[in-house]
Amino acid sequence: MNTQILLGALAGIALGLLFARVGPDAQGVGQGIYLCGLVGNLFIDLLKMVLVPLVFTSIAVGVANLRQHSQLHRVWISTLGFFVLSMLLAILSALAAANWFEPGKDLHLDLFPGARHEIAAQHMSFAEFFANFLHGLFVNPFAALAQGNVLAIVMFALLLGIALVMGGERYRNILQLLREALELMLRMVGWIMRLAPFGIFALLTKLLATQDMAVLGSLAHFVAVVLGTELFHGFVVLPLLLILIAKVSPIKFFLGAREAMITAFATSSSSATLPVTLRCTEQHLHVKGGIAGFVIPLGATVNMDGTALYEAAAALFIANLAGIELDMAQQLIVVFTTMLAAMGAPGIPSAGMVTMVMVLQSVGLPAEAIAILLPVDRLLDTFRTMVNVEGDMVGSLVVQRWVNETSSR
């Protein structure tokens, strides 16, 4: 699949450049661009179709899985506290880097003709934003599901997951139903991803045939910013947390964690890396089995530092390309939505492609914009998965330190 996606991207770039060179008035070119538009829009529509049920079931099941460990209050409270802290630091790093380096700032594409006016109409004072934000979180869940109101869906899924935790065995049938629904959604995502090479080919052909070629240079700038920020988070921020909270040497950590991090880099899947991560955490980093057995599998589902960082930076990059300036209130929405989207992303290659749609739509950016990100998604996926897995292992050491300190008091 990875090879097919790469070939589709390269073929789309080549055909798009050829169409741009020949011109849209040449025989067959206009029809080709139209056909590519149909295929590309079909692929985007399929991603939108599974977005709502995937995010709903993934977040509800992820929170409800804490029921299995409800007796370990100190462990899971410490775990969730660290996960929120590390992802928040990753997202803030991404926003700081994107605002500082401004990838795509000088290149305004006419890809999204209505988006600029729609977002401009949404600008409001912080007080108005906060009131509307709270009002939008709690709405009729059926209306939210029908309208694709992502933030309201996420909030209802969180509350449902918490209710399932508190209800225990009484609601085991509902939890099992949600788990099976999540499995069905992941199966459907697998089907849609089989069409990804064709969708990427069509989207890139139309993009390069109708837009400024400078988008490729701007994309390279974006890749450099994301990779730099991922490396900063992985080799500066997380080691600092390791030193300050867990009191563990980063050198000792990287020597013990290198096998899992290399596997994560090669597979781009935190779920596939899970057995290696568990072995490294318990045998090399000497984390107790009870803590590692809880923190690492949960982290593979909800702790996605690298994914959250990438999606936050990508939202600002797309906004810059569209000539839209996101104000502080809208960037706060990006922070909130990105954290929840990262928690809802399955630990499989390119799963962030689906949740990226959620982040873009939360601030009114069109989902079609992911066409620009698809050619580099696989490359960036390797680095962000490595950072995701590193964050899980750092989290297990931090949680062990916190639990030991609490128990000794």
Side-chain angles (χ1 to χ4, degrees):
M1 177 59 67
N2 292 330
T3 304
Q4 291 172 7
I5 289 176
L6 176 62
L7 290 175
L10 293 176
I13 291 171
L15 185 60
L17 292 174
L18 177 62
F19 280 177
R21 185 177 183 85
V22 173
D25 297 328
Q27 184 177 4
V29 172
Q31 293 87 335
I33 294 174
Y34 172 74
L35 183 60
C36 287
L38 287 179
V39 175
N41 288 336
L42 174 64
F43 178 61
I44 295 295
D45 289 340
L46 287 170
L47 289 178
K48 288 181 180 178
M49 180 184 72
V50 297
L51 170 67
V52 166
L54 175 65
V55 170
F56 173 73
T57 54
S58 181
I59 291 178
V61 169
V63 175
N65 281 339
L66 294 176
R67 182 179 60 87
Q68 302 169 5
H69 308 273
S70 57
Q71 72 277 17
L72 301 174
H73 289 297
R74 282 197 301 269
V75 173
W76 72 259
I77 289 173
S78 301
T79 301
L80 292 180
F82 175 79
F83 287 172
V84 169
L85 172 65
S86 63
M87 279 200 289
L88 187 60
L89 290 174
I91 294 167
L92 293 177
S93 297
L95 293 179
N99 279 297
W100 180 267
F101 294 104
E102 298 183 328
K105 187 70 172 180
D106 298 326
L107 182 66
H108 295 169
L109 301 182
D110 295 325
L111 282 170
F112 331 114
R116 193 176 310 180
H117 301 294
E118 291 173 9
I119 292 182
Q122 295 174 6
H123 278 225
M124 59 187 75
S125 69
F126 183 78
E128 292 173 324
F129 154 75
F130 190 67
N132 285 343
F133 179 71
L134 286 181
H135 179 69
L137 287 181
F138 305 101
V139 300
N140 184 325
F142 296 102
L145 289 167
Q147 296 166 6
N149 184 340
V150 175
L151 291 179
I153 292 166
V154 167
M155 184 54 62
F156 181 72
L158 285 171
L159 293 174
L160 179 62
I162 293 169
L164 290 171
V165 172
M166 302 301 291
E169 286 299 313
R170 187 186 308 174
Y171 304 126
R172 64 181 180 276
N173 291 335
I174 297 176
L175 178 56
Q176 184 60 31
L177 179 64
L178 286 171
R179 285 176 177 157
E180 291 177 359
L182 176 58
E183 290 176 7
L184 281 174
M185 289 304 105
L186 291 176
R187 184 179 293 272
M188 292 178 68
V189 169
W191 293 344
I192 294 169
M193 291 310 297
R194 291 182 181 275
L195 300 175
F198 304 102
I200 291 169
F201 167 79
L203 287 166
L204 285 175
T205 299
K206 182 180 179 183
L207 174 70
L208 293 177
T210 58
Q211 300 298 324
D212 192 334
M213 295 302 105
V215 69
L216 295 178
S218 188
L219 190 60
H221 184 197
F222 167 71
V223 169
V225 170
V226 171
L227 288 183
T229 314
E230 295 276 8
L231 294 174
F232 174 77
H233 185 76
F235 293 97
V236 177
V237 176
L238 288 177
L240 277 176
L241 294 177
L242 203 59
I243 295 170
L244 296 175
I245 304 176
K247 312 297 183 186
V248 174
S249 164
I251 296 175
K252 178 182 176 183
F253 169 79
F254 284 119
L255 287 174
R258 66 182 184 276
E259 185 181 345
M261 291 177 66
I262 291 171
T263 305
F265 183 87
T267 62
S268 295
S269 171
S270 50
S271 295
T273 311
L274 189 57
V276 183
T277 310
L278 273 172
R279 186 167 67 84
C280 289
T281 305
E282 292 182 25
Q283 296 181 9
H284 301 161
L285 301 178
H286 309 295
V287 176
K288 294 176 184 177
I291 293 177
F294 172 70
V295 176
I296 299 300
L298 182 64
T301 305
V302 303
N303 186 40
M304 302 285 184
D305 292 8
T307 302
L309 188 157
Y310 163 72
E311 292 184 350
L316 263 66
F317 172 59
I318 295 300
N320 287 339
L321 284 181
I324 299 164
E325 186 170 345
L326 298 181
D327 59 22
M328 186 58 66
Q330 289 166 318
Q331 292 194 32
L332 286 175
I333 293 180
V334 170
V335 170
F336 180 76
T337 313
T338 302
M339 187 175 294
L340 295 175
M343 288 182 176
I348 56 176
S350 296
M353 188 186 302
V354 181
T355 53
M356 187 71 234
V357 175
M358 167 182 167
V359 176
L360 294 177
Q361 290 186 332
S362 70
V363 286
L365 293 169
E368 291 77 8
I370 67 166
I372 300 169
L373 304 172
L374 294 178
V376 297
D377 184 76
R378 187 64 182 84
L379 167 66
L380 296 177
D381 202 12
T382 59
F383 287 91
R384 64 181 185 248
T385 304
M386 183 177 67
V387 173
N388 290 342
V389 170
E390 181 191 353
D392 296 342
M393 291 188 284
V394 170
S396 65
L397 288 165
V398 168
V399 169
Q400 179 166 264
R401 177 78 180 187
W402 275 342
V403 170
N404 289 343
E405 286 184 352
T406 306
S407 302
S408 62
R409 288 172 186 170

